[in-house]
Amino acid sequence: MNHSDRLPRNRTYLMCSPDHFTVEYAINPWMDTTAPVDATLAFRQWEMLRTTLADLGHTVHVLNGVPGLPDMVYAANGAFSVDGKVYGARFKFPQRAAEADAHQLFYASGEWSFASPGHVNEGEGDFAYLPEAYGGMVLAGYGFRTDPAAHAEAQEVLGRPVISLKLVDPAFYHLDTALAALDDRHIAYYPDAFSPASQRVLAQLFPDAVIADRHDAEAFGLNLVSDGRHVVLNTEAVAMGDKVRAAGYLPVHVELTELKRGGGSVKCAVAELRPGVLKAGEALGA
C-alpha cells in the first residue's frame, strides 16, 4: 500500500514542556550524568516536535514541568488511557514517583475515569493499544520497569485483553523503545529485544509487522508516533524511516538529540489521549 492510500486519524496528545529537563541521575543505560544537556536546544527540539504534531492536524495538550522532576518531559510514562479510562502510573524509581501525581491531576480536570495502580507500571512506556487488532488489544512490556502483575490490573481497569511481552535487553528497557504501533492494527518491532517466547507470540499475532534491526532500535527508530499515515521519528533513524516508507507510511523526521540523553525520543515525549466514545443517549460522566 502506498502512503497516499493510508488515511491518517486525528489524534489527541499530551506533552510536558522540558522546563527542568537535565540528566542528574542515571536510571537507564542511555543516561550519562557527566554529559551536560543543552537546555536551550532541548526546548527548541521539543517545540519542533510539538509543532510538527500540531501541523499534522493533531491536538496537543501541554503539561507544565515541575521543578525537581527532570524526566517529566517523557510524558508517555505518566498514564495509559483507553476509551476514556485511565490506568495511572506508579514509577519504579523514586526519582520519578511524583510525576504520577502531576498526571493524575491533569486527568482529574477532564472527563476521565481514573484508576490508581496497585502495581508498578510506567504508562505508555510499557503499554501500546491497537484498537483494530483482534477487536482491540493492549500489548504490554515487562522485565525492567513494569511489574507483570500490572498487566492483569490494567486489563481489569480497561476491559481490553492485555498480551504480556518480556523485554530482555536493558538497552530497550521500555516497550516503546522496542515496539511501535504504526496504525490501529499494525506494528513494527525489534525481535531481539524480546524473549524467545515473546518473539513467537509477536510473530503469530503480527505476521506482517515491520521488522527493525538493532541499529534501528539503538537509533530510537521504534520510539515513534504514528497517526496511521505519518510516522514521526527522530532524524537519526534514517534506516527505520526507509522501512516504514517501504511499508506504505510517510516518515516525518524531527531532531531530538537532547532528549536521547535521557533515554527517550519521540514516543517517550508524547502520550496519546484516548477519550471515550459516547453511545446514543449517554451523557458525559455517566
Side-chain angles (χ1 to χ4, degrees):
M1 181 182 291
N2 186 277
H3 67 77
S4 62
D5 298 322
R6 294 191 181 275
L7 297 177
R9 178 167 60 82
N10 288 341
R11 314 281 176 131
T12 301
Y13 297 121
L14 177 66
M15 298 179 66
C16 179
S17 57
D19 305 319
H20 308 285
F21 174 61
T22 186
V23 179
E24 61 183 37
Y25 49 77
I27 58 174
N28 68 60
W30 303 93
M31 302 178 87
D32 180 358
T33 58
T34 67
V37 169
D38 185 330
T40 301
L41 179 58
F43 187 87
R44 187 162 64 243
Q45 292 178 345
W46 176 90
E47 178 62 19
M48 180 56 68
L49 174 59
R50 187 197 66 79
T51 301
T52 297
L53 294 173
D55 288 348
L56 289 173
H58 306 301
T59 300
V60 182
H61 297 280
V62 176
L63 270 179
N64 292 324
V66 175
L69 298 177
D71 280 347
M72 197 169 162
V73 66
Y74 303 118
N77 302 150
F80 177 55
S81 66
V82 174
D83 297 334
K85 301 173 183 177
V86 182
Y87 180 50
R90 183 175 178 181
F91 288 87
K92 177 177 180 178
F93 292 101
Q95 294 95 327
R96 300 195 66 185
E99 293 179 39
D101 297 330
H103 281 267
Q104 183 172 354
L105 285 173
F106 169 81
Y107 289 103
S109 67
E111 298 290 345
W112 299 91
S113 173
F114 187 92
S116 296
H119 300 283
V120 170
N121 81 89
E122 300 199 345
E124 281 196 331
D126 273 328
F127 291 106
Y129 182 50
L130 296 155
E132 293 186 9
Y134 304 96
M137 171 186 289
V138 176
L139 301 179
Y142 73 98
F144 297 103
R145 296 292 181 86
T146 294
D147 185 332
H151 297 178
E153 188 174 53
Q155 181 168 277
E156 289 302 307
V157 169
L158 303 172
R160 297 290 185 179
V162 176
I163 304 298
S164 295
L165 302 168
K166 185 176 182 179
L167 297 162
V168 296
D169 187 328
F172 312 111
Y173 58 95
H174 273 156
L175 183 71
D176 68 3
T177 64
L179 180 149
L182 294 174
D183 54 31
D184 289 344
R185 69 177 68 186
H186 299 102
I187 68 168
Y189 70 100
Y190 170 47
D192 286 350
F194 298 91
S195 69
S198 292
Q199 290 181 41
R200 291 193 293 272
V201 169
L202 287 168
Q204 178 178 333
L205 293 175
F206 302 99
D208 55 354
V210 174
I211 301 300
D213 59 25
R214 188 172 188 89
H215 175 76
D216 298 321
E218 288 182 339
F220 277 61
L222 289 163
N223 198 243
L224 59 82
V225 167
S226 177
D227 62 13
R229 180 183 182 188
H230 308 97
V231 176
V232 182
L233 66 172
N234 74 76
T235 52
E236 185 181 347
V238 176
M240 192 67 210
D242 291 341
K243 288 176 181 176
V244 299
R245 187 189 302 276
Y249 301 90
L250 184 62
V252 179
H253 290 278
V254 294
E255 187 171 2
L256 284 179
T257 55
E258 293 307 291
L259 288 191
K260 188 178 180 182
R261 295 179 184 274
S265 191
V266 175
K267 178 56 194 167
C268 287
V270 180
E272 184 168 351
L273 304 179
R274 304 175 184 88
V277 178
L278 293 180
K279 299 176 182 178
E282 183 179 12
L284 280 172

